[in-house]
């Protein structure tokens, strides 16, 4: 008996519910010779802005208990080069490509979305209103329901591509932000982006990261991420993409049962580049063993009263 | 002088531990059976080693390869025990399996001319050993300058001594060789009549900065091997960045794959005032870890 792993996220059709998390898988080519990209549910590429962004001064990463901090600062070559140099190569694969978009201003988000809407090979946009590592834009849009609404509303006007709003955990009520972006036209939400954190070197007596603050990811954040996915899945009717510390199929199934329709794998890929594919296999195995016919049958299963 | 041909790809390997040796308490030498890396790896390249079991430590540890033995299918890793990851690694036993990605990064560029002048500070002497072995195979004369805090830390000195290389040593406390920094040995060497064909250096950042200053404007090139905290190790996460020089031959991250994006980047940064200093970053994992000294800013 075969199991149907396919899911649909606000118009984005995927052969299975496992995606890469933005910023952790480059543009796919870095891993293409060791990971069969065609087996991914979707490939989410690095945050892309109108102009090239240089990113933050090093050090940009630091390991923490069961996790890591990063403060990359959305370094990217800008949308023109992404369209010209990265997307064409990805069209050779049979995997939906989701581009994560960032901006300092609402009009920058709109401009990137417009450019990508015109480009071939983009299956959906993930609107990043949640990066903790840039001074302006990013997180500021994601922590205020009105600003979050405004970004999504304006981006919605210029594209018919499925829009996924990527939410930050660094708020009092993530459900409130989620309701706001859905009202503005988001087809789905993804969460969590990283949790704001820091680390200090007691020898140099200085913050470890060049940017002082960074975003925490990895197994350490999973319970927090799962709780937030649970809250958001209960607050909005659009599909939820769950992420935050997912390392194996067991973790992924927890997110699905909390109400996520799909999951993204990030930090785990640094440890094992094939982690996303192992998670696909593990989900399939679980579903077969337990007698499910479709992965959608387990979505929100833990919510039943 | 030409950069080593980029390997088509790194891969993931299970490598058997053959030997774990502790030449002193906080230093460790691990010999691994890794035939493909031993054959394909180039001096200056590194492996990204998974440490710990499930969970913690989370990230792999990038370690330069101290010696390649293509004939025996073995590689040697030599490192200082500084944290949980390296401690875990140092506790491995013969026949344990290690999960490696490699060979990774851009190694040392080499040419036919000699002599090569190698400058190693502390544990930074590790990748230079493989370079000295390559020189020996190619019958190129090598001069090795090694520096450390004290004699006990000069654990690789004897390995260099086994090769047909002239080895000079400096220690901070004078317990072996000349008392002072290894860069004082470099100053002496640069006063000699016969200039080196090339200088290769690896060590702490202040040492590399000094080497860069001392070799600036010289007729011979100088290559530095850098160390940085890494997550992916393969160019995807942009976590191991080092500031590129604003002038000269800097290849900002966004400029590595051809094109003339550097100019655009400079302009964009001026317009948006994104970054007060350097115009861009290079990735130590794939653009390096070896850089021409003029490519990177060590401030």
């Amino acid at each position: 008996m075969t199991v149907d792993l396919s899911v649909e996220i606000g118009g984005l059709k995927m052969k299975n519910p496992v995606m890469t998390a933005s910023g952790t898988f480059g543009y796919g080519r870095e891993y293409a010779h060791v990971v069969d990209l065609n087996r991914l549910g979707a490939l989410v590429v690095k945050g892309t802005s109108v102009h090239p962004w240089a990113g933050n001064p090093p050090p940009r990463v630091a390991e923490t208990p069961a996790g890591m901090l990063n403060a990359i600062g959305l370094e990217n070559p800008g949308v023109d080069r992404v369209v010209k140099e990265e997307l064409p190569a990805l069209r050779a694969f049979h995997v939906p490509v989701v581009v994560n978009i960032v901006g300092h201003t609402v009009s920058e988000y709109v401009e990137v979305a417009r450019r990508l809407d015109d480009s071939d090979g983009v299956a959906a946009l993930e609107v990043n209103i949640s990066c903790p590592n840039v001074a302006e834009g990013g997180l500021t849009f994601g922590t205020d329901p009105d600003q979050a609404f405004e970004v999504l509303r304006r981006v919605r006007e210029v594209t018919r591509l499925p829009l996924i709003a990527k939410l930050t955990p660094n708020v009092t009520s993530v459900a409130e932000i989620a309701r706001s972006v859905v009202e503005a036209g988001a087809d789905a939400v993804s969460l969590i982006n990283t949790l704001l954190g820091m680390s200090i070197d007691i020898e140099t007596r200085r913050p470890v990261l060049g940017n002082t603050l960074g975003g925490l990811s990895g197994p350490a954040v999973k319970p927090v991420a799962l709780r937030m996915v649970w809250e958001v899945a209960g607050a909005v009717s659009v599909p939820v993409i769950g992420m935050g510390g997912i390392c194996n199929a067991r973790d992924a199934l927890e997110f699905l049962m909390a109400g996520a329709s799909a999951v993204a794998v990030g930090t785990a890929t640094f440890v094992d580049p094939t982690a996303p594919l192992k998670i696909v296999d593990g989900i399939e195995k679980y579903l077969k063993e337990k007698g499910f016919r479709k992965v959608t049958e387990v979505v929100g299963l833990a919510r039943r009263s | 002088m030409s950069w080593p041909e980029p390997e088509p790809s790194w891969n993931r390997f299970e490598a058997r531990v053959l030997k774990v040796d502790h030449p002193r308490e906080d230093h460790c030498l691990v010999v691994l059976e890794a035939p493909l890396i031993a054959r394909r790896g180039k001096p200056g390249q590194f492996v990204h080693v998974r440490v710990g079991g499930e969970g913690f430590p989370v990230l792999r540890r990038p370690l330069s390869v101290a010696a390649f033995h293509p004939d025996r299918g073995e590689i040697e890793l030599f490192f200082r025990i500084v944290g949980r990851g390296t401690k875990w690694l140092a506790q491995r036993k013969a026949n344990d399996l290690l999960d490696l990605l490699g060979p990774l990064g851009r190694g040392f560029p080499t040419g036919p001319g000699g002599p090569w002048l190698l400058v190693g500070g502390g544990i930074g002497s590790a990748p230079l050993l493989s370079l000295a072995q390559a020189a020996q195979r190619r019958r190129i004369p090598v001069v090795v300058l090694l520096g450390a805090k004290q004699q006990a830390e000069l654990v690789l000195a004897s390995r260099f001594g086994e090769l047909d290389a002239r080895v000079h040593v400096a220690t901070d406390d004078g317990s072996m060789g000349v008392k002072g920094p290894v860069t004082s040995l470099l100053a002496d060497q640069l006063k000699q009549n016969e200039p080196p064909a090339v200088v290769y250096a690896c060590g702490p950042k202040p040492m590399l900065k000094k080497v860069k200053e001392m070799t600036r404007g010289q007729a011979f090139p100088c290559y530095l091997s850098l160390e940085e905290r890494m997550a992916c190790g393969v160019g995807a996460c942009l976590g191991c960045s080092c500031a590129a020089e604003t002038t000269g031959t800097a290849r900002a991250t966004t400029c590595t794959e051809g094109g003339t994006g550097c100019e655009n980047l400079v302009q964009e940064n001026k317009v948006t005032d994104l970054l007060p200093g350097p115009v861009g970053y290079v990735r130590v994992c794939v653009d390096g870890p070896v850089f021409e000294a003029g490519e990177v800013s060590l401030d």
Side-chain angles (χ1 to χ4, degrees):
Chain A
M1 190 185 73
T2 56
V3 178
D4 181 5
L5 290 176
S6 68
V7 295
E8 187 175 334
I9 306 290
L12 170 66
K13 290 188 169 61
M14 311 201 298
K15 61 179 85 73
N16 66 61
V18 182
M19 322 166 70
T20 59
S22 179
T24 63
F25 209 69
Y27 296 97
R29 69 181 147 71
E30 294 86 347
Y31 289 108
H33 67 288
V34 287
V35 178
D36 182 357
L37 303 185
N38 295 330
R39 291 195 56 219
L40 293 167
L43 198 159
V44 186
V45 301
K46 178 105 188 115
T48 302
S49 51
V50 181
H51 305 294
W53 285 10
N56 286 324
R60 291 176 170 186
V61 294
E63 188 166 82
T64 57
M68 65 175 283
L69 289 164
N70 89 80
I72 311 296
L74 293 171
E75 174 176 338
N76 81 93
V79 67
D80 287 347
R81 294 193 53 174
V82 170
V83 167
K84 205 164 68 188
E85 294 165 23
E86 303 291 353
L87 297 182
L90 284 174
R91 290 202 283 274
F93 297 93
H94 303 286
V95 60
V97 174
V98 179
V99 182
N100 182 285
I101 65 171
V102 298
H104 291 120
T105 61
V106 176
S107 52
E108 285 186 7
Y109 279 98
V110 171
E111 187 53 32
V112 185
R114 198 195 305 273
R115 290 293 319 274
L116 290 166
D117 188 72
D118 284 344
S119 309
D120 287 336
V122 180
L125 300 180
E126 182 177 53
V127 186
N128 185 350
I129 51 170
S130 48
C131 179
N133 297 324
V134 290
E136 28 173 339
L139 193 57
T140 23
F141 294 112
T143 52
D144 180 294
D146 295 335
Q147 289 200 54
F149 180 90
E150 187 61 11
V151 174
L152 267 295
R153 184 184 71 81
R154 294 276 307 279
V155 170
R156 179 77 288 169
E157 285 173 359
V158 298
T159 181
R160 298 177 70 177
L161 289 169
L163 280 186
I164 303 159
K166 185 162 180 178
L167 308 181
T168 176
N170 302 304
V171 290
T172 310
S173 171
V174 67
E176 186 186 0
I177 307 283
R179 278 191 289 262
S180 194
V181 294
V182 170
E183 197 190 333
D187 300 300
V189 294
S190 57
L191 70 160
I192 59 173
N193 203 321
T194 53
L195 279 151
L196 203 50
M198 74 177 294
S199 185
I200 290 174
D201 182 333
I202 62 165
E203 300 303 324
T204 63
R205 300 163 196 168
R206 298 281 306 151
V208 172
L209 295 173
N211 189 51
T212 304
L213 306 185
L216 181 65
S217 65
V221 310
K222 199 197 85 181
V224 178
L226 191 64
R227 181 267 293 179
M228 290 192 159
V229 164
W230 176 277
E231 286 176 354
V232 168
V236 297
S237 53
V238 301
V240 175
I241 300 165
M243 69 189 85
I246 295 175
C247 291
N248 50 46
R250 198 175 56 241
D251 295 338
L253 284 159
E254 283 192 58
F255 279 83
L256 296 175
M257 290 179 188
S261 298
V263 295
V265 182
T267 304
T269 309
F270 298 150
V271 186
D272 179 358
T274 61
L277 301 187
K278 285 181 180 159
I279 291 171
V280 174
D281 293 340
I283 292 173
E284 183 173 25
K285 182 164 177 274
Y286 175 89
L287 295 174
K288 270 185 184 164
E289 281 174 7
K290 306 293 177 184
F292 292 101
R293 281 172 303 174
K294 301 177 187 173
V295 69
T296 50
E297 289 171 13
V298 296
V299 172
L301 208 51
R303 312 186 68 89
R304 70 191 187 282
S305 45
Chain B
M1 202 64 56
S2 61
W3 290 97
E5 283 297 311
E7 278 300 322
S9 58
W10 51 272
N11 221 316
R12 183 175 172 187
F13 297 99
E14 293 249 288
R16 185 177 303 280
V17 175
L18 298 174
K19 195 173 119 185
V20 181
D21 193 20
H22 297 266
R24 57 175 262 142
E25 201 185 343
D26 60 345
H27 284 61
C28 184
L29 179 83
V30 175
V31 183
L32 296 173
E33 185 180 65
L36 273 167
I37 296 176
R39 274 207 302 275
R40 287 170 20 187
K42 306 279 193 305
Q45 287 195 298
F46 68 96
V47 289
H48 212 22
V49 188
R50 185 167 181 177
V51 294
E54 290 262 318
F56 186 61
V58 171
L59 298 175
R60 289 171 180 267
R61 298 297 190 266
L63 294 170
S64 62
V65 178
F68 298 95
H69 301 288
D71 48 334
R72 304 203 297 267
E74 296 170 13
I75 60 172
E76 293 181 61
L77 308 178
F78 183 67
F79 54 92
R80 202 156 61 89
I81 301 163
V82 290
R84 281 175 190 258
T86 42
K87 186 177 173 191
W88 181 89
L89 211 51
Q91 288 165 345
R92 295 310 94 199
K93 300 273 181 286
N95 289 321
D96 284 352
L97 293 176
L98 284 183
D99 175 346
L100 309 181
L101 308 181
L104 292 169
R106 183 174 70 155
F108 294 103
T110 57
W116 294 356
L117 181 54
L118 279 47
V119 188
I123 200 71
S125 54
L128 299 178
L129 182 62
S130 65
L131 197 56
Q133 290 177 326
Q136 169 118 332
R137 279 195 292 270
R138 290 160 62 174
R139 299 178 199 287
I140 293 170
V142 181
V143 178
V144 184
L145 313 179
L146 299 177
K149 286 197 186 73
Q150 47 185 289
Q151 177 176 10
E153 290 181 15
L154 283 162
V155 274
L156 279 188
S158 61
R159 296 289 300 275
F160 282 99
E162 291 164 12
L163 300 168
D164 193 14
R166 280 191 4 245
V167 183
H168 304 274
V169 169
T171 48
D172 291 349
D173 65 356
S175 54
M176 187 178 176
V178 173
K179 182 175 179 181
V182 69
T183 44
S184 66
L185 298 176
L186 177 61
D188 293 343
Q189 284 295 319
L190 296 181
K191 280 184 221 145
Q192 309 266 324
N193 287 334
E194 188 197 12
V198 53
V199 170
Y200 301 103
C202 185
K205 219 171 203 178
M207 180 205 109
L208 294 181
K209 196 179 166 188
K210 184 81 179 159
V211 171
K212 178 180 167 172
E213 282 165 14
M214 292 171 72
T215 56
R216 181 177 291 148
Q218 297 278 5
F220 50 83
C222 174
Y223 297 97
L224 310 176
S225 179
L226 269 50
E227 191 180 48
E228 188 52 82
R229 295 161 191 272
M230 290 183 189
C232 75
V234 301
C237 76
L238 314 185
C240 61
S241 295
C242 172
E245 275 284 9
T246 48
T247 55
T249 55
R251 305 162 310 126
T253 298
T254 45
C255 308
T256 48
E257 275 82 41
T260 53
C262 288
E263 290 87 342
N264 295 335
L265 197 61
V266 176
Q267 284 165 7
E268 293 301 342
N269 283 333
K270 275 182 186 158
V271 172
T272 58
D273 200 25
L274 273 176
L275 208 70
V279 298
Y281 294 98
V282 287
R283 297 165 294 184
V284 172
C285 67
V286 289
D287 298 326
V290 176
F291 295 94
E292 200 279 320
E295 290 181 313
V296 285
S297 167
L298 301 171
D299 295 327

